[in-house]
Amino acid sequence: MQYLPHMSQPARPQSSDASDTLTPGTRRAAAQRLKMRRELSAAAMELFATKGYEATTVDEIAAAAGVARRTFFRHFRSKEEAIFPDHDDTLVRAEAVLDAAPPHENPLDTVCRGIKEVMRMYASAPAVSVARYRLTREVPTLREAEIASVARYERLFTRYLLGHFDEGAHREGDDDPLLAEVAASAVVTAHNHVLRRWLRAGAEGDVETQLDHAFEIVRETFGAGIGAGRTTSAETPQATVSREGEVLVAVARTDAPLDEVMRTIRKALKEQR
């Protein structure tokens, strides 16, 4: 699979936090906007839980939050959208991770790092996330809104992987573009599987470790194909392992990502069993 190196892309801010590129005034405005969205969301969730989703109106949500109806519609297009106040900002942060990816990083690893921003959003407020999960299970309309939000992340990651695919190297019968789309979908599916399991358990347990394990499975399934055509500037592997008797010797570049070195070692150990 041929991928264009990151260095061929326009220079991007080297930060996973999109707010680093904003002025203080812009950051304050963004913080105030997010605060208002969360207050509206909290009011909506409380009303949905007490009155029921269908019986709750936008006017009631706005009144419960202490704002006018027009203020509600400056932040959300509908009452079901109000249940997910952080997705817009999280999508921006996930995209910033992709934009700031180092040149040597496998695109699939970058996508795995990007979607961790979504998990961090849920993990930052466990009680709220659990309550929202239970509510969306009970209200089909909210469930549909959640699915639409998830689809935005999947489109972002699919575009990213396809954006690093060298169309000039494509040949008839080459399934690389299909592999890129399936891999992006697999990353999102792995994330959602771990997230749902964590929420069903009441947000108990080390969700970060669980997510890393799920991503390891995705990398083992798709990583070789996704990374095949991408080399470092020195045209050498990031890490290699050789066997000398009963000892495995690992050699890695100094700029090799630690997770890639560990994957190479684990794979070699498995092959020796």
Side-chain angles (χ1 to χ4, degrees):
M1 179 175 251
Q2 298 295 320
Y3 276 93
L4 300 174
H6 289 276
M7 63 184 67
S8 66
Q9 304 297 320
R12 303 282 188 174
Q14 295 300 305
S15 169
S16 62
D17 186 350
S19 66
D20 288 351
T21 63
L22 304 177
T23 65
T26 304
R27 283 198 294 271
R28 283 195 298 271
Q32 292 171 355
R33 171 181 174 274
L34 183 56
K35 180 176 181 291
M36 184 76 266
R37 285 170 64 86
R38 287 175 174 171
E39 290 175 356
L40 287 166
S41 178
M45 284 184 61
E46 184 173 351
L47 287 168
F48 292 163
T50 56
K51 292 191 60 176
Y53 170 77
E54 295 296 340
T56 299
T57 67
V58 167
D59 287 335
E60 289 173 327
I61 295 172
V67 299
R69 173 188 174 92
R70 64 178 178 274
T71 300
F72 176 93
F73 283 111
R74 278 204 296 267
H75 294 278
F76 300 109
R77 290 171 296 183
S78 62
K79 64 180 183 179
E80 60 265 21
E81 195 176 89
I83 204 71
F84 308 107
D86 295 349
H87 276 306
D88 288 348
D89 299 271
T90 303
L91 190 68
V92 170
R93 290 198 303 274
E95 188 167 14
V97 171
L98 306 186
D99 289 343
H104 57 68
E105 188 171 50
N106 186 299
L108 187 58
D109 290 336
T110 306
V111 167
C112 288
R113 287 198 303 110
I115 202 171
K116 279 190 174 183
E117 293 296 325
V118 185
M119 183 63 79
R120 292 186 182 110
M121 174 193 73
Y122 284 94
S124 66
V128 174
S129 296
V130 170
R132 183 166 54 192
Y133 173 74
R134 291 171 178 168
L135 188 59
T136 56
R137 301 283 73 72
E138 299 170 0
V139 183
T141 303
L142 296 179
R143 175 60 178 158
E144 291 170 5
E146 182 183 45
I147 291 172
S149 294
V150 170
R152 296 167 65 194
Y153 296 110
E154 188 165 338
R155 287 194 296 271
L156 170 67
F157 299 134
T158 298
R159 284 198 305 270
Y160 180 78
L161 290 181
L162 289 175
H164 287 80
F165 171 69
D166 185 358
E167 292 291 351
H170 182 66
R171 299 182 302 276
E172 185 176 355
D174 187 351
D175 291 330
D176 288 348
L178 172 62
L179 180 59
E181 293 197 48
V182 174
S185 179
V187 170
V188 175
T189 299
H191 170 274
N192 292 345
H193 174 84
V194 171
L195 175 60
R196 285 193 298 268
R197 186 172 59 194
W198 181 68
L199 292 172
R200 285 196 297 267
E204 297 291 335
D206 186 349
V207 70
E208 186 92 7
T209 298
Q210 296 174 35
L211 192 60
D212 286 338
H213 174 69
F215 287 161
E216 188 65 32
I217 295 173
V218 174
R219 290 187 186 101
E220 289 179 357
T221 304
F222 297 101
I226 289 290
R230 295 203 67 194
T231 56
T232 65
S233 58
E235 299 297 323
T236 57
Q238 291 288 311
T240 59
V241 176
S242 61
R243 182 185 177 94
E244 297 181 5
E246 295 300 316
V247 178
L248 288 177
V249 178
V251 179
R253 290 174 53 88
T254 56
D255 62 349
L258 180 59
D259 58 349
E260 183 170 332
V261 175
M262 295 306 298
R263 281 201 304 276
T264 303
I265 295 174
R266 281 195 293 268
K267 181 179 179 182
L269 288 172
K270 287 180 181 179
E271 292 173 351
Q272 298 303 320
R273 292 175 182 172

